[in-house]
DNA sequence: CTGTTAGCGCGTTCAC
DNA sequence: GTGAACGCGCTAACAG
């Protein structure tokens, strides 16, 4: 194959020369300016075609001082929650003619910090954030530069932020009430309070609801950890060995619920006949025929779509009231919960 | 909260004025140029700090004619394969100081086309592609603009492309050989030839290996479809009803394998005692304690890392030979395969 | 070691 | 309707 040295990318000036007009006119055609004689417009269009001209968005961004790019900061894009969020954002942004600049922090503060700086450097028009860290200093950088920021799924400390989150406490309440209504009284909770503020709220909500319904909170069947099978199995085993074993489990995430289900089955119990399980999050996997998990949905799709939509509003109209939305969760009843069995296990 | 009108973002000129030097000097400090008097450097650094200056990457890209941005085109970022790929790319690119511009096509040609144009418009330095479509015209646009392109996991038609793919046929061979060595002779294949070229090759590889090992290919237990449980269950049911029922299944994707496993178990058989199953892809889920799937790994991580690395090479050194790498797959033996049981089912 | 000058490619006055 | 001139913020010659 011969190496063909291609001409450099054509510019508006090249197009102008070819069409025999000024560069300004080319720009006007490109931007759909109306008062142009039909024949000059056609000449310009023809030259654009022939030169394979593609407008340089970099230059355009520079002069317009707008990039039509939204930055998105996620925890870890290989986590299904964030991946689905990314998908929704990319699709919706494309419709509104915005580009999306995604970065994941891999739960590491340095990366988070670097991402923020990259976004500032690249002059994104706005930033969507779904992962925050204790040291939030670099978020302040965004505010310094007056870049609109919208949080979703996480609630930062300051009260003047824009955010869309789920009512996590209410979600736990739905789960507890559902189990109570099915006749369960001994409920085990798998919490994960240290991971994110939202997880902490699920835990808090659980405690509050248990009190509200006057159900006993048994510290011995309260798990505080992660979602790794190797941690969860021993906990479940111990819990079910007890004379006053729980008849059901509430978890902080669907991943935990799946691990619980696996453990329960491995220990020879039937779900939901012997043991009921309620997850939290309604990840895609939870509806898999293998699991059919009863779980609390946090309306992820609505949340993400709304977050993008509102951010674009902030970007395009700077004078806006802070946007603060709390979405109500919903209980998705599938096949892992049933009425409490009579005899204890 | 009072509305504070912030000064506009500082530029190198503002920094220069504040530090009492020329704008060029500021630029030199920014770029780590060496021959600068220590005290002027410090003065500049101080001014940068005080003005909260952040270099405008847009302007920098414009003059350097490089964006240090790699475009990535994926099928659907909420698919775990692509999500994991995205994660690897973002992480590795960050180390090399490149930004990543991700777009997913949602398997839709128009979106693919639009993504390519966006990438060209934004003047990415190179493009990584893991999803292609029959009408590839827009890929040619990239070539016109001399933008280096690296394919991974998919093999486009032209022979002069750069690509890194897995040896899919060899993967099927590993699966067939493994089952043959365990004593199986009646093997059912769940293919999905129409989806991607790589899936077609897995199917082809299966046929070739069966011939090579002189095993009978039974068209009646050859599934050609998707990975939806509702399609797979009836197939498995029919297959296992037969007098000469297969004793094992090979699938094109792990998702299919999981659906098969579920079906087999629902039909009252034990995996792997009664029926063996081999997946393809080694997605994260396949190692889940619930599944423990024996599967063919296509070395995704190596593939993705190498793709990025080689693309950056192409970007930074234009004169390069085409890069064409075929990775050898590996059989991951977990818990869904065992020796063929004696009595037929 | 540092400053001057000239663009990078485009949109935007302001004239005509 | 159209064009000339300017500037967005920065790097890259070329002087000194």
């Amino acid at each position: 194959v011969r190496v063909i040295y291609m001409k450099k990318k054509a510019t508006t000036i090249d197009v102008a020369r070819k069409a025999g007009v000024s560069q300004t006119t080319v720009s006007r055609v490109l931007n759909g300016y109306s008062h142009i004689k039909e024949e000059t417009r056609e000449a310009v269009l023809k030259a654009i075609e022939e030169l394979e001209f593609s407008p340089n968005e970099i230059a355009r961004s520079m002069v317009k001082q707008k990039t039509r790019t939204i930055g998105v900061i996620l925890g870890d894009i290989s986590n299904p929650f964030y991946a689905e969020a990314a998908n929704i954002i990319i699709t919706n942004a494309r419709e509104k003619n915005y580009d999306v600049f995604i970065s994941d922090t891999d739960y590491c503060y340095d990366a988070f910090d670097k991402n923020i700086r990259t976004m500032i450097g690249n002059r994104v028009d706005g930033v969507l954030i779904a992962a925050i860290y204790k040291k939030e200093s670099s978020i302040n950088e965004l505010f310094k530069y007056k870049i609109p920021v919208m949080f979703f799924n996480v609630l930062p400390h300051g009260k003047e932020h824009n955010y869309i989150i789920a009512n996590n406490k209410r979600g736990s309440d739905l789960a507890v009430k559902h189990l109570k209504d099915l006749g369960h009284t001994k409920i085990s909770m798998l919490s994960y309070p240290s991971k994110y503020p939202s997880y902490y709220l699920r835990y808090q909500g659980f405690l509050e609801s248990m009190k509200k319904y006057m159900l006993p909170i048994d510290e011995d069947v309260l798990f505080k950890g992660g979602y790794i099978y190797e941690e969860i199995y021993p906990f479940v085993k111990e819990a079910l060995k007890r004379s006053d074993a729980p008849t059901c489990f509430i978890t902080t995430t669907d991943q935990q619920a799946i691990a619980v289900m696996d453990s329960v089955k491995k220990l020879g119990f039937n779900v939901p006949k012997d043991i009921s399980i309620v997850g939290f999050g309604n990840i895609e996997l939870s509806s898999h025929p293998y699991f059919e998990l009863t779980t609390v949905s946090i309306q992820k799709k609505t949340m993400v779509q709304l977050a993008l939509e509102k951010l674009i509003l902030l970007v395009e109209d700077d004078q806006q009231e802070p946007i603060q939305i709390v979405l109500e969760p919903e209980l998705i009843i599938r096949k892992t919960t049933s009425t409490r069995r009579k005899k204890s296990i």
Side-chain angles (χ1 to χ4, degrees), chain A:
Chain A
V1 184
R2 274 184 318 135
V3 176
I4 300 171
Y5 284 94
M6 309 222 52
K7 52 210 169 299
K8 292 210 60 158
K9 294 186 232 323
T11 72
T12 44
I13 295 191
D14 300 325
V15 174
R17 260 200 280 274
K18 183 125 190 169
V21 297
S22 78
Q23 180 264 338
T24 310
T25 300
V26 175
S27 173
R28 286 199 265 250
V29 171
L30 249 27
N31 293 288
Y33 188 80
S34 50
H35 301 283
I36 296 183
K37 218 196 304 176
E38 195 47 37
E39 62 189 74
T40 65
R41 145 176 275 113
E42 277 164 18
V44 169
L45 258 22
K46 181 157 160 281
I48 286 176
E49 185 103 356
E50 288 175 11
L51 293 172
E52 292 172 345
F53 167 82
S54 157
N56 185 329
E57 296 295 337
I58 308 271
R60 189 176 269 178
S61 298
M62 181 138 110
V63 40
K64 297 197 74 160
Q65 301 288 78
K66 288 279 170 203
T67 54
R68 287 197 83 80
T69 300
I70 299 294
V72 180
I73 298 184
L74 305 172
D76 164 15
I77 199 156
S78 59
N79 169 326
F81 175 84
Y82 293 116
E84 287 172 39
N87 184 255
I88 296 169
I89 292 169
I90 291 175
T91 307
N92 286 52
R94 185 166 31 229
E95 275 168 25
K96 298 189 160 67
N97 254 299
Y98 274 83
D99 293 328
V100 176
F101 191 90
I102 290 178
S103 34
D104 66 353
T105 64
D106 273 324
Y107 309 113
C108 141
Y109 180 74
D110 283 347
F112 180 76
D113 207 55
K114 194 163 176 186
N115 284 337
I116 296 270
R117 281 170 207 287
T118 301
M119 305 234 160
I120 293 173
N122 286 338
R123 302 296 191 261
V124 298
D125 292 343
V127 179
L128 238 31
I129 300 183
I132 52 176
Y133 299 85
K134 283 144 218 156
K135 287 158 68 192
E136 322 183 356
S137 56
S138 51
I139 293 183
N140 289 328
E141 302 261 302
L142 291 171
F143 299 137
K144 273 186 206 155
Y145 291 104
K146 290 205 323 194
I147 298 175
V149 177
M150 181 93 207
F151 294 90
F152 69 94
N153 198 47
V154 289
L155 182 62
H157 288 315
K159 279 296 166 208
E160 70 283 10
H161 294 310
N162 304 299
Y163 58 79
I164 299 188
I165 52 165
N167 188 340
N168 284 289
K169 283 191 175 184
R170 178 97 182 92
S172 295
D173 187 61
L174 290 174
V176 172
K177 182 169 187 309
H178 174 57
L179 291 170
K180 186 205 65 157
D181 291 347
L182 290 172
H184 294 273
T185 53
K186 285 175 280 179
I187 304 178
S188 167
M189 164 88 185
L190 284 88
S191 70
Y192 196 179
S194 57
K195 181 79 170 180
Y196 302 119
S198 56
Y199 288 4
Y200 181 71
L201 290 169
R202 293 174 192 181
Y203 168 61
Q204 275 295 317
F206 167 77
L207 296 179
E208 289 174 15
S209 296
M210 291 295 276
K211 280 180 197 138
K212 187 169 89 181
Y213 300 120
M214 293 185 291
L215 297 173
I217 297 169
D218 182 351
E219 289 283 343
D220 293 337
V221 293
L222 222 168
F223 175 86
K224 297 187 184 183
Y227 50 85
I228 306 298
Y229 181 75
E230 285 70 22
E231 313 173 41
I232 287 180
Y233 179 79
F235 167 77
V236 171
K237 187 172 175 182
E238 285 308 310
L240 294 182
K241 253 191 201 161
R242 302 165 57 89
S243 55
D244 59 339
T247 58
C248 55
F249 293 86
I250 287 179
T251 66
T252 304
T253 70
D254 285 348
Q255 284 91 341
Q256 280 185 329
I258 287 170
V260 169
M261 197 186 325
D262 189 21
S263 305
V264 167
K265 288 187 182 175
K266 277 240 169 63
L267 291 163
F269 298 97
N270 182 284
V271 175
K273 254 180 60 189
D274 303 324
I275 300 289
S276 290
I277 300 172
V278 183
F280 209 123
N282 193 30
I283 63 173
E284 213 155 303
L285 195 59
S286 66
S287 65
H288 189 282
Y290 230 83
F291 302 117
E292 294 274 24
L293 186 67
T294 293
T295 187
V296 176
S297 160
I298 55 171
Q299 295 201 58
K300 177 167 45 184
K301 188 165 181 184
T302 305
M303 181 159 68
V304 175
Q305 280 181 178
L306 222 50
L308 177 65
E309 203 172 288
K310 296 295 186 187
L311 177 64
I312 290 178
L313 232 60
L314 289 170
V315 166
E316 295 182 349
D317 267 325
D318 8 72
Q319 296 294 12
Q320 280 261 224
E321 299 292 295
I323 292 169
Q324 312 193 144
I325 300 177
V326 177
L327 258 28
E328 287 308 311
E330 202 180 325
L331 186 70
I332 313 281
I333 299 174
R334 285 196 276 251
K335 300 186 178 163
T336 58
T337 47
S338 75
T339 51
R340 181 172 73 89
R341 41 179 274 167
K342 289 285 150 54
K343 42 186 175 180
S344 81
I345 303 167

